């Protein structure tokens, strides 16, 4: 008979129509976990597919449902249902293992660390060359390497959760969460890894970037320009240009960035900060 251990962490998974991928996440997350080690809460928000049913197929996983298709509402519901710290917030479309979750919890036991996220892995081998070129630059940007955003996972202790609770409801929730902590209060856990699936088409990449630019504009409007420290600087790109092999990738990166900014201006002018340009190609 397997002995059930006391939960050592809460994992909150906001999920909107993620029936095709949520089983992949939960399988990896729970594969090596002791029974009861993780209190996993899936918040199916505004789902019209079998997301909730798939999640219920995993023993011990709690499923909450709301008709409101809102990631912010799902995160709030998950946090309210959590009884154990640390809390790991995990997007349904990434892959995270048991050991990775444990490693992040260990990081949060360090002095002064309130929030952490894992290293990211981007499987790009079968993606078209413009997508590979874009990420060849993006993944090397200093703030992308140091920040907690763009990973699909953030873990916080009780003090870190209080910081998240004070954040406004914004589209760029992961960037806002990263910026809520000073560099000494956040850390990337080098012994943990999350697989983040990039878009499979250039069109879907641009959609993602339009959403990101729109989210940054919304966040800038209420933060007094605090996002400036997370922006890509000319110096960063000039430094990469010194490497001849990165020059062609830089051209693609700049083209995608300029196009995304142009398209995002329309949404910003309309004040549309709620339309979620979802990338279904990576699911």
């Amino acid at each position: 008979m397997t002995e059930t251990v006391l939960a050592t962490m809460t994992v909150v998974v906001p999920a909107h129509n993620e029936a095709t991928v949520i089983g992949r996440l939960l399988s990896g997350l729970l594969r090596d976990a002791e029974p009861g080690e993780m209190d996993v809460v899936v918040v199916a928000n505004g789902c019209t597919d079998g997301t909730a049913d798939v999640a219920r197929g995993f023993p011990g996983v709690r499923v909450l449902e709301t008709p409101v298709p809102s990631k912010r509402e799902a995160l709030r519901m998950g946090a309210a249902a959590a009884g154990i710290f640390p809390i790991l917030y995990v997007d349904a479309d990434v892959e995270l293992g048991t050991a990775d979750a444990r490693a992040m919890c260990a990081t949060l036991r360090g002095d002064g660390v309130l929030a952490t996220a894992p290293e990211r892995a981007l499987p790009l081998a079968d993606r078209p060359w413009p997508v590979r070129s874009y990420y060849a630059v993006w993944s090397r940007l200093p703030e992308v390497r140091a920040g907690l955003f763009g990973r699909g996972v953030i873990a916080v202790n009780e003090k870190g959760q209080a910081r998240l609770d004070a954040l406004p409801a914004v589209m760029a929730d992961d960037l806002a969460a990263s910026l809520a902590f000073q560099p000494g209060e956040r850390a990337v856990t080098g012994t943990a890894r999350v697989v983040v699936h990039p878009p499979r088409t250039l069109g879907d990449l641009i959609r993602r970037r339009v959403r990101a630019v729109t989210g940054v504009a919304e966040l800038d409007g209420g933060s007094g320009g605090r996002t400036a420290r997370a922006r890509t600087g000319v110096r960063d790109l000039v430094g990469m240009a010194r490497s001849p092999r990165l020059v062609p990738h830089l051209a693609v990166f700049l083209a995608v960035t300029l196009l995304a900014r142009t398209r995002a201006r329309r949404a910003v002018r309309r004040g549309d900060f709620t339309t979620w340009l979802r990338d279904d190609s990576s699911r």
Side-chain angles (χ1 to χ4, degrees):
M1 181 176 180
T2 303
E3 183 179 353
T4 299
V5 302
L6 292 175
T8 60
M9 69 188 82
T10 302
V11 181
V12 174
V13 183
H16 172 68
N17 288 342
E18 302 285 12
T20 60
V21 293
I22 195 166
R24 179 183 66 191
L25 167 67
L26 295 176
S27 293
L29 187 65
L30 297 170
R31 182 173 294 123
D32 298 319
E34 298 292 336
E37 177 182 359
M38 298 181 185
D39 179 16
V40 180
V41 183
V42 173
V43 186
N45 60 100
C47 292
T48 56
D49 66 356
T51 296
D53 292 334
V54 173
R56 287 193 184 97
F58 289 83
V61 172
R62 292 193 283 154
V63 179
L64 307 179
E65 294 188 73
T66 173
V68 181
S70 165
K71 183 178 180 181
R72 174 69 180 184
E73 174 66 10
L75 292 172
R76 186 196 65 78
M77 287 180 62
I84 300 292
F85 284 95
I87 301 177
L88 283 65
Y89 295 100
V90 185
D91 288 351
D93 60 338
V94 303
E95 295 180 60
L96 188 75
T98 307
D100 306 305
R102 290 171 179 160
M104 285 186 287
C105 290
T107 296
L108 289 171
R109 291 194 286 270
D111 290 341
V113 179
L114 307 184
T116 187
E119 295 282 1
R120 67 170 74 78
L122 298 165
L124 289 162
D126 63 344
R127 275 20 179 198
W129 68 265
V131 175
R132 296 198 306 270
S133 283
Y134 180 88
Y135 282 104
V137 175
W138 183 83
S139 62
R140 288 176 168 83
L141 296 173
E143 285 302 321
V144 170
R145 294 170 69 89
L148 304 184
F149 58 89
R151 303 173 191 272
V153 180
I154 184 170
V156 294
N157 56 23
E158 196 163 0
K159 289 183 178 178
Q161 180 61 44
R163 199 75 62 85
L164 296 185
D165 288 340
L167 292 175
V170 292
M171 181 185 294
D173 57 280
D174 60 342
L175 177 59
S178 182
L179 293 173
F181 303 97
Q182 296 298 317
E185 297 175 328
R186 56 179 165 86
V188 174
T189 298
T191 54
R193 188 187 75 152
V194 61
V195 178
V196 181
H197 294 274
R200 294 183 180 274
T201 70
L202 177 59
D204 281 295
L205 170 61
I206 292 171
R207 285 165 61 85
R208 275 199 189 190
R209 299 318 302 164
V210 171
R211 185 182 74 204
V213 174
T214 305
V216 169
E218 179 190 22
L219 192 54
D220 257 349
S223 69
R226 186 174 53 176
T227 62
R229 63 185 171 96
R231 291 181 183 274
T232 300
V234 174
R235 183 179 299 177
D236 299 327
L237 300 180
V238 170
M240 289 189 202
R242 296 193 182 101
S243 173
R245 68 185 183 86
L246 285 178
V247 171
H249 300 313
L250 279 166
V252 174
F253 178 85
L254 289 171
V256 169
T257 299
L258 290 174
L259 182 57
R261 287 180 179 177
T262 299
R263 293 187 178 180
R265 287 193 191 104
R266 302 170 192 167
V268 173
R269 282 198 298 267
R270 295 194 304 267
D272 180 6
F273 299 114
T274 58
T275 299
W276 187 269
L277 297 177
R278 178 176 164 120
D279 165 30
D280 285 315
S281 73
S282 59
R283 286 168 166 82

